[in-house]
Amino acid sequence: MVHEWALAEGVCRYVTNVAGGRRLKKVKIALGELQSVDEEVLKFALTELLKAQGFEIGEGLIELVVKHAVMQCRRCGHLWSLGEAGLSEEEREAVHFIPEVIRAYTSCPKCNSRDFEVVEGRGVEILEVSLE
Ligand SMILES: [Zn+2]
């Protein structure tokens, strides 16, 4: 919970700076699949914080998209997704809390190497801030 509010606080600060008093039309945020962020809580927190800054928040103003995790093998260059990794529900949950543990649960589906990089699906990104 605290996590989402802290995140919303950062986004709100950024949006307020960028807007410089103009009207807000859209805020689009990408959430990494490996980030344990509750979308509903984040949306709620961001709405409340932006309202407190005097922004009018209409339906659909805040858009959240999930960026799927992509891993790349350092040995053979193969790219794969979390879906392909075939994790159980429990393993997925662990990975969401601590993205680093993904190394313990998956290896390259092609060459079986555990030497891979997470190239996408981490962190939070502000994709778009539209103003009037
Ligand atoms: Zn490989």
Side-chain angles (χ1 to χ4, degrees):
M1 285 292 220
V2 175
H3 184 67
E4 281 80 5
W5 278 89
L7 205 59
E9 177 93 46
V11 174
C12 178
R13 226 167 255 210
Y14 174 79
V15 169
T16 308
N17 277 340
V18 172
R22 278 175 291 173
R23 232 172 73 97
L24 198 56
K25 270 167 62 187
K26 192 174 193 77
V27 180
K28 197 170 172 182
I29 300 162
L31 302 173
E33 189 182 16
L34 296 178
Q35 199 77 20
S36 65
V37 172
D38 186 316
E39 291 177 47
E40 287 308 307
V41 176
L42 177 62
K43 211 170 192 174
F44 174 77
L46 190 55
T47 302
E48 290 306 305
L49 292 172
L50 287 171
K51 269 187 195 163
Q53 290 296 321
F55 288 108
E56 253 178 72
I57 311 297
E59 193 62 41
L61 185 128
I62 299 168
E63 193 184 336
L64 301 178
V65 292
V66 174
K67 252 196 179 167
H68 287 288
V70 177
M71 278 70 74
Q72 181 166 35
C73 179
R74 283 203 183 106
R75 195 199 277 170
C76 74
H78 184 66
L79 290 163
W80 75 98
S81 68
L82 208 54
E84 236 182 292
L87 300 185
S88 71
E89 190 91 352
E90 244 168 69
E91 288 169 340
R92 270 170 186 269
E93 203 171 317
V95 166
H96 282 139
F97 283 114
I98 319 163
E100 283 67 32
V101 307
I102 192 162
R103 283 173 205 289
Y105 294 121
T106 183
S107 54
C108 173
K110 215 169 170 189
C111 75
N112 225 11
S113 166
R114 281 192 192 271
D115 188 13
F116 62 84
E117 248 177 296
V118 177
V119 289
E120 213 157 273
R122 304 180 83 150
V124 177
E125 222 180 301
I126 299 172
L127 297 177
E128 185 189 332
V129 177
S130 296
L131 303 160
E132 219 148 69

